């Protein structure tokens, strides 16, 4: 599948500070989480994608547009909806005026922009409050208006920068549900920039992990959280037989752990299935009820990646 | 034909300014007052010239008498020049009120990020904001000026004013355009630098009045009136009077000096705006 965003050899410096170093990223259609601690380079990457920063020598392609040219920047901004992290709504304007004005600036004509503003405000669940001055809105309402303005011109790509910032748990879940349905039901490609791992885990299929300006990992969440393949989680019919199996497995070159939440076994290197384990169990008369590969949480993966030295 | 990209932004700014009625009322009272005052003068002078004592009542009769005694001659262009002279400080106030908050309030609210992430260049953004402030400035300066010209055209017998002094119409437009364009650019430049509208307004008044005061002091100390070219207020008057072809006994220096002075200030303003807006985009 053609990636919606491709960055090759992207480096960005602010004076002597290197914000991004040799970044090579391909972002496929669907929902992708851009993960990283503060200062990792996430916002700088978004600025590059929006054409605010024009790095020299790098190849940047956003929905087929090259942001290093003026025509490319204008073209990609028609294809991209951006929801900034911080406050960005002008006081004295209500939500309808704000969203419709931004729709018109995106190239829609007046009546279309107004109709579409109401449509997206309905979608984000802002009812009569849409006619009130945005200065009187709660954080949750402001976040919804920010999402609505990103959607007004119906862009195929959405860049959402910390969309759940400042939201209470209910508002957060509602926002994440909206983000999920944008991808699943409306066919949008979403790049969700966040440092909240549960948000990314809940909404995204893919992740790109940035740390200190380097891409530490990219791929599907399923691939990243999969165990190393040699660790299996076991369930015995009779848990009291764990010690018997443990002794027999060790004798056969396997490693068994009982960390509390279940029995885990590491198969000898080079062995990819559980047949040797079943043979050992059969020999000692232990019945295995279930075997499944171990998985790691995204948080475990993330913390491990942050501890690693970047590849140079 | 599609509207230019900056038009929706300009229109949004105009709508926003329109929402606050009290400042509008207060700021436009004096320009409208001057406009009516000068139009009435033209009405009475033309009436007096045509001996229309029967339609004007006691005021018109007094005007006709005064005209005979003091040999007052009707010079519409001079009246328009005087209107611009009288309304120049109000023009600064008016344009400062509408223009000084445009960029810095966008920046404070973070709204510039929303604009820059749209198919809008930095030039479009500045033009959109400039058109907003220009619109309100034009309502207070160009529209009253043209109303006075229109009064003269309407009052003159057989459209004599248009036939004899038609260039005054263009002169008035040019004078008004120059005044509003200059102050609009200045207001956006200070707004691009200031963090709050109130600071920007103070800076704008300082940038207009301090050089004016300084130029007067220098002219007095050095005995050379040409130092007044340093004052934007005086230079605008000099170039504007040139457009109106009004004789200028006081301003004894070449018009291009004033034009160059205004161009230099506008160039600096444009550079300041360009640098600041570029920076905002990068640190958005």
């Amino acid at each position: 599948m053609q990636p919606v965003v491709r960055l090759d050899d992207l480096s960005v410096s602010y004076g002597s500070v290197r914000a991004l170093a040799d970044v090579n990223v391909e972002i496929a259609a669907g929902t992708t989480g851009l993960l990283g601690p503060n200062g990792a380079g996430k916002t700088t990457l978004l600025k590059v994608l929006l054409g605010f920063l024009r790095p020299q020598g790098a190849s940047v392609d956003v929905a087929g547009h090259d942001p290093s040219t003026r025509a490319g920047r204008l073209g990609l901004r028609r294809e991209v909806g951006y929801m900034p992290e911080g406050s960005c709504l002008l006081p004295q304007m209500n939500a309808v005026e704000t969203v419709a004005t931004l729709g018109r600036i995106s190239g829609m004509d007046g009546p279309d922009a107004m109709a579409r503003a109401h449509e997206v405000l309905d979608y984000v669940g802002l009812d009569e409050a849409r006619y009130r001055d945005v200065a009187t809105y709660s954080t949750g309402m402001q976040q919804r208006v920010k999402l609505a303005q990103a959607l007004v011109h119906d862009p195929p790509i959405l860049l959402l920068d910390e969309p759940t910032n400042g939201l209470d748990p209910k508002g957060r879940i509602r926002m994440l549900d909206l983000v999920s349905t944008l991808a699943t039901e409306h066919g949008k490609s979403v790049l969700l920039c966040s440092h909240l791992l549960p948000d990314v885990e809940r909404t995204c299929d893919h992740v790109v992990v940035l740390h200190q300006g380097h891409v530490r990992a990219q791929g599907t969440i399923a691939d990243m959280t999969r165990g190393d393949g040699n660790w299996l989680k076991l369930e015995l019919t009779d848990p009291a037989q764990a010690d018997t199996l443990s002794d027999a497995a060790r004798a056969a070159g396997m490693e068994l752990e009982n960390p509390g939440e279940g029995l885990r076994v590491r198969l000898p290197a080079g062995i990819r299935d559980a047949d040797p384990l079943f043979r050992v169990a059969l020999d000692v008369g232990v019945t295995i009820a279930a075997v499944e590969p171990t998985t790691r949480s995204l948080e475990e993966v993330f913390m491990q990646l942050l501890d690693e030295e970047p590849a140079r | 034909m599609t509207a230019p990209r900056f038009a929706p932004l300009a229109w949004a700014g105009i709508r926003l300014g329109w929402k606050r009625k009290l400042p509008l009322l207060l700021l436009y009272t004096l320009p409208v007052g001057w406009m009516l005052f000068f139009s009435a003068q033209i009405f009475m002078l033309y009436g007096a010239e045509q001996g229309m004592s029967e339609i004007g009542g006691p005021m018109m009769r007094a005007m006709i008498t005064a005209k005979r005694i003091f040999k007052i001659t009707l010079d519409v262009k001079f009246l328009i020049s005087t209107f611009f002279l009288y309304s120049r400080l109000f023009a600064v106030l008016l344009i400062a009120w509408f223009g000084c908050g445009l960029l810095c309030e966008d920046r404070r609210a973070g709204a510039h990020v929303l604009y820059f992430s749209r198919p809008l260049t930095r030039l479009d953004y500045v033009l959109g904001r400039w058109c907003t402030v220009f619109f309100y400035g034009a309502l207070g300066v160009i529209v009253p000026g043209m109303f006075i010209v229109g009064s003269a055209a309407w009052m003159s017998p057989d459209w004599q004013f248009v036939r004899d002094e038609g260039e005054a119409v263009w002169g008035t437009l040019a004078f008004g355009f120059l005044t509003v364009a200059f102050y609009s650019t200045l207001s956006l430049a200070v707004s691009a630098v200031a963090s709050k509208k109130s600071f920007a307004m103070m800076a704008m008044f300082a940038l207009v009045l301090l050089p004016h005061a300084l130029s007067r002091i220098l002219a007095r100390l050095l005995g050379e009136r040409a130092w007044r070219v340093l004052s934007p207020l005086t230079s605008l008057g000099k170039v504007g009077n040139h457009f109106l072809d009004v004789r200028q006994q006081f301003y004894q220096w070449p018009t291009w000096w004033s034009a160059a002075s205004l161009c230099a200030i506008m160039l600096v303003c444009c550079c300041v705006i360009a640098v600041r807006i570029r920076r905002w985009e990068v640190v958005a």
Side-chain angles (χ1 to χ4, degrees):
Chain A
M1 190 187 287
Q2 181 77 7
V4 290
V5 172
R6 197 174 63 234
L7 306 167
D8 292 325
D9 302 324
L10 172 68
S11 297
V12 176
S13 298
Y14 298 110
S16 59
V17 180
R18 202 151 202 216
L20 290 173
D22 305 321
V23 169
N24 292 286
V25 169
E26 281 196 356
I27 295 173
T31 44
T32 302
L34 186 58
L35 279 175
N38 293 336
K42 302 187 297 288
T43 306
T44 301
L45 187 63
L46 289 184
K47 283 182 199 170
V48 171
L49 297 182
L50 286 163
F52 295 168
L53 291 172
R54 283 150 228 168
Q56 302 293 311
S59 165
V60 181
D61 183 308
V62 183
H65 299 282
D66 175 6
S68 65
T69 66
R70 187 172 170 275
R73 281 193 295 280
L74 294 178
L76 82 87
R77 288 172 191 174
R78 283 189 194 93
E79 310 264 343
V80 170
Y82 175 52
M83 176 180 175
E85 178 187 1
S87 119
C88 57
L89 303 175
L90 261 183
Q92 297 177 46
M93 286 175 89
N94 63 41
V96 180
E97 287 169 334
T98 302
V99 176
T101 298
L102 292 167
R104 290 188 65 206
I105 293 173
S106 297
M108 303 170 80
D109 64 31
D112 280 356
M114 185 55 79
R116 178 73 182 158
H118 284 287
E119 197 180 316
V120 289
L121 288 168
D122 282 340
Y123 177 74
V124 299
L126 206 68
D127 301 320
E128 289 304 305
R130 71 183 65 176
Y131 298 107
R132 267 174 29 208
D133 186 338
V134 293
T136 65
Y137 284 7
S138 65
T139 308
M141 290 159 86
Q142 289 189 14
Q143 291 292 83
R144 280 186 268 167
V145 178
K146 281 160 62 179
L147 180 61
Q149 63 77 29
L151 293 170
V152 66
H153 54 299
D154 198 19
I157 301 171
L158 290 167
L159 306 181
L160 311 181
D161 198 356
E162 309 279 4
T164 55
N165 250 10
L167 297 183
D168 58 28
K170 200 175 157 193
R172 182 176 149 264
I173 288 168
R174 173 146 172 69
M175 177 60 76
L176 293 176
D177 287 345
L178 282 172
V179 173
S180 293
T181 54
L182 283 170
T184 54
E185 292 174 21
H186 301 278
K188 307 283 182 201
S189 294
V190 180
L191 183 61
L192 178 74
C193 186
S194 180
H195 59 266
L196 299 174
L197 301 172
D199 289 3
V200 172
E201 212 159 9
R202 187 186 168 108
T203 49
C204 298
D205 317 314
H206 295 74
V207 284
V208 174
V209 181
L210 276 175
H211 183 44
Q212 294 173 342
H214 295 267
V215 175
R216 290 297 172 88
Q218 57 181 315
T220 64
I221 293 182
D223 284 344
M224 280 195 187
T225 55
R226 189 173 298 144
D228 60 11
N230 280 13
W231 280 100
L232 300 173
K233 208 158 97 180
L234 295 184
E235 201 178 305
L236 304 182
T237 312
D238 179 5
Q241 294 179 312
D243 288 342
T244 312
L245 181 64
S246 179
D247 293 341
R250 273 199 196 96
M254 295 173 218
E255 192 182 326
L256 237 79
E257 275 183 1
N258 199 348
E261 69 267 23
L263 199 60
R264 300 197 315 159
V265 60
R266 186 157 82 173
L267 301 172
I271 293 176
R272 306 297 299 175
D273 59 39
D275 284 354
L277 179 67
F278 279 109
R279 273 199 295 277
V280 168
L282 187 67
D283 291 345
V284 293
V286 175
T287 309
I288 296 173
V291 177
E292 57 180 288
T294 55
T295 56
R296 297 180 297 167
S297 70
L298 190 58
E299 189 173 350
E300 282 175 308
V301 176
F302 183 69
M303 295 311 291
Q304 185 192 331
L305 287 168
L306 296 200
D307 290 339
E308 287 173 2
E309 279 294 306
R312 302 203 183 261
Chain B
M1 199 178 85
T2 53
R5 285 191 300 266
F6 62 82
L9 187 62
W11 179 235
I14 290 168
R15 283 178 54 136
L16 204 59
W18 207 253
K19 282 188 173 181
R20 302 180 72 181
K21 299 291 188 290
L22 185 62
L24 278 174
L25 185 71
L26 295 175
L27 288 168
Y28 285 101
T29 299
L30 200 68
V32 169
W34 284 130
M35 178 183 85
L36 295 176
F37 173 75
F38 281 97
S39 298
Q41 262 195 314
I42 285 172
F43 174 77
M44 287 193 286
L45 284 169
Y46 266 118
E49 207 166 64
Q50 294 166 55
M52 291 160 48
S53 57
E54 70 283 359
I55 61 161
M59 274 295 285
M60 186 66 81
R61 282 193 289 278
M63 184 63 78
I64 291 169
T65 311
K67 196 170 155 48
R68 280 179 192 145
I69 294 170
F70 298 108
K71 296 187 168 49
I72 298 170
T73 54
L74 178 58
D75 187 345
V76 175
K77 289 191 292 191
F78 181 75
L79 279 178
I80 294 166
S81 170
T82 311
F83 162 76
F84 281 123
L85 180 74
Y86 283 11
S87 60
R88 58 188 180 173
L89 272 181
F90 253 82
V92 177
L93 178 63
L94 189 82
I95 291 170
W97 176 264
F98 286 105
C100 285
L102 284 176
L103 299 187
C104 62
E105 294 299 327
D106 273 357
R107 171 84 170 139
R108 258 161 71 92
H112 62 295
V113 182
L114 296 184
Y115 301 132
F116 293 152
S117 64
R118 309 272 151 186
L120 200 69
T121 61
R122 292 193 298 275
L123 180 64
D124 292 329
Y125 171 71
V126 174
L127 275 177
R129 289 315 194 193
W130 190 85
C131 286
T132 298
V133 60
F134 184 88
F135 172 83
Y136 283 108
L139 277 186
V141 177
I142 300 177
V143 171
M146 292 310 289
F147 187 88
I148 296 167
V149 170
S151 303
W154 184 62
M155 280 300 297
S156 62
D158 300 326
W159 303 93
Q160 183 195 343
F161 174 75
V162 180
R163 281 189 280 111
D164 293 351
E165 301 192 73
E167 75 281 2
V169 178
W170 300 110
T172 306
L173 261 181
F175 197 166
F177 185 90
L178 176 73
T179 305
V180 179
F182 178 81
Y183 290 134
S184 297
T185 311
L186 185 63
S187 72
L188 288 191
V190 292
S191 185
V193 176
S195 58
K196 284 169 77 173
K197 180 179 175 177
S198 51
F199 296 161
M201 285 183 73
M202 283 190 277
M204 178 150 169
F205 274 102
L207 285 172
V208 171
L209 295 179
L210 290 181
H212 189 68
L214 182 71
S215 71
R216 287 184 76 114
I217 291 167
L218 284 172
R220 180 70 59 88
L221 286 177
L222 303 173
E224 175 57 73
R225 280 183 176 171
W227 283 104
R228 302 285 301 271
V229 79
L230 294 176
S231 161
L233 284 170
T234 310
S235 286
L236 277 172
K238 170 81 178 169
V239 178
N241 283 340
H242 177 77
F243 289 145
L244 283 171
D245 199 20
V246 171
R247 275 197 305 143
Q248 303 165 91
Q249 292 173 338
F250 179 74
Y251 303 134
Q252 300 287 342
W253 61 84
T255 305
W256 74 265
W257 286 16
S258 288
S261 154
L262 294 175
C263 285
I265 295 171
M266 286 191 55
L267 188 67
V268 170
C269 290
C270 290
C271 290
V272 167
I273 294 169
V275 169
R276 292 295 294 175
I277 301 296
R278 170 68 187 136
R279 185 170 163 70
W280 289 3
E281 190 181 62
V282 173
V283 296

